[in-house]
Amino acid sequence: MMPDSRIISSSSITIEYLKQNNLNPLALLDPELLESEEFTSAFPDFDKTDASDDSRNCVLIGLAPEALNYKNLNRAFRLVMDRKKNDKKTPIIAIHAAKFFQDNDDKLSLGPGPFLAALTEATDQQAEIIGKPSEKFFEAIMKQKPDSLPQDYVMIGDDLVADIGGAAKSNVDGVLVRTGKFLDKDESNKRITPAHVCDNFEIASEWVSGKMELPETPIPSPPLSPREVKMAKEIEALKHQVKTVALDDSENKNEDENENKKENENENENELAEQKDKNKDKDKDKDKDKDDKKEED
């Protein structure tokens, strides 16, 4: 299993971003993350029971089924609007903006994305997505090691668009895992192609660690749509027409060349015949001159 020191998460990058920008969030997060050492060490004075938002200067949203409700969204809305009256900026920051996720009952549930969209619509303010699939996420990771390159990193995730697609925008390879949000159709997606597809995170991390070699992932070609089938047939028909025209042109060209050749041969024969006639006439003139000279003698 890959050591924790080599794993970089969206939440860790977002928390680091808050610290660097002196932001104290109204955090709509999962209780487990709020109580984690990662969060408490970054915000030792944070009190999740404090109902006063006087010291808050940003809104932080993550995957938090218990926290993302009308009461808390309205609280975040009021914080942004009250500070806006006083010409104070209140960034709305998201760890990620996934539209849905696979819940504990193996069914899909709403992710933070729709709640984030509601808040940004109501406040008429754009959100800053620090986590995936934002390019800021990958830029922040590489800033931690200035000498590193995109090929030094690998994104492992179950979200084809957010994880693999987001990584591709920053030239980072993505390994798609067949868990959570993974859908069967992801492996035949035409726009986003992962470097590898693994059954789970453990296998993917073993491969990243260099402890396991994975066979090349077969990416099956998706079936053509009726429209694509029709276009393919039309293209083949056009190719046939072009080929037929080309053959016709070639045959016509050969016929023209043969006719020209015959005409040239006929012209040459005529010239030879004329030359022969001229030579005969010259010979006749010479013979006549000889006869005239004899008579004179």
Side-chain angles (χ1 to χ4, degrees), residues 7-207:
I7 299 175
I8 304 170
S9 65
S10 297
S11 58
S12 63
I13 291 296
T14 305
I15 290 170
E16 185 63 28
Y17 176 84
L18 295 176
K19 286 171 58 181
Q20 290 177 358
N21 291 276
N22 297 315
L23 295 172
N24 183 31
L26 166 57
L28 305 185
L29 302 176
D30 186 84
E32 187 175 338
L33 178 56
L34 285 175
E35 295 167 3
S36 68
E37 183 181 352
E38 184 177 55
F39 189 86
T40 55
S41 60
F43 303 100
D45 299 326
F46 184 84
D47 183 2
K48 64 180 181 179
T49 62
D50 186 5
S52 172
D53 294 327
D54 294 339
S55 63
R56 319 289 190 200
N57 58 4
C58 77
V59 175
L60 176 61
I61 292 180
L63 179 58
E66 295 180 16
L68 293 176
N69 53 48
Y70 175 81
K71 180 182 177 181
N72 286 337
L73 281 178
N74 194 49
R75 179 183 172 187
F77 168 76
R78 288 181 175 181
L79 173 64
V80 174
M81 300 308 288
D82 288 344
R83 287 175 59 83
K84 191 177 287 189
K85 288 178 184 178
N86 298 316
D87 296 325
K88 294 180 180 180
K89 292 183 179 180
T90 312
I92 300 174
I93 298 169
I95 293 178
H96 64 87
K99 296 177 182 178
F100 57 87
F101 69 100
Q102 188 172 30
D103 220 326
N104 294 329
D105 59 359
D106 290 333
K107 293 184 179 181
L108 298 180
S109 294
L110 286 174
F115 297 94
L116 181 66
L119 184 60
T120 55
E121 177 70 20
T123 58
D124 193 24
Q125 180 173 313
Q126 288 188 340
E128 295 182 49
I129 303 173
I130 306 302
K132 57 190 183 182
S134 169
E135 291 183 31
K136 286 184 179 180
F137 172 65
F138 299 98
E139 290 171 1
I141 291 174
M142 284 180 269
K143 280 182 181 178
Q144 293 181 353
K145 294 184 178 181
D147 296 331
S148 64
L149 298 171
Q151 53 263 37
D152 296 327
Y153 298 89
V154 174
M155 164 61 77
I156 301 175
D158 59 5
D159 189 322
L160 182 71
V161 176
D163 298 333
I164 311 306
K169 290 179 181 178
S170 297
N171 298 315
V172 173
D173 281 341
V175 177
L176 183 66
V177 291
R178 298 185 181 96
T179 61
K181 294 177 68 176
F182 172 82
L183 300 173
D184 290 338
K185 66 179 182 180
D186 289 344
E187 291 188 67
S188 59
N189 188 285
K190 295 180 180 179
R191 297 183 300 107
I192 305 172
T193 303
H196 289 286
V197 181
C198 300
D199 286 335
N200 54 53
F201 179 82
E202 287 73 20
I203 294 176
S205 62
E206 289 291 308
W207 172 72

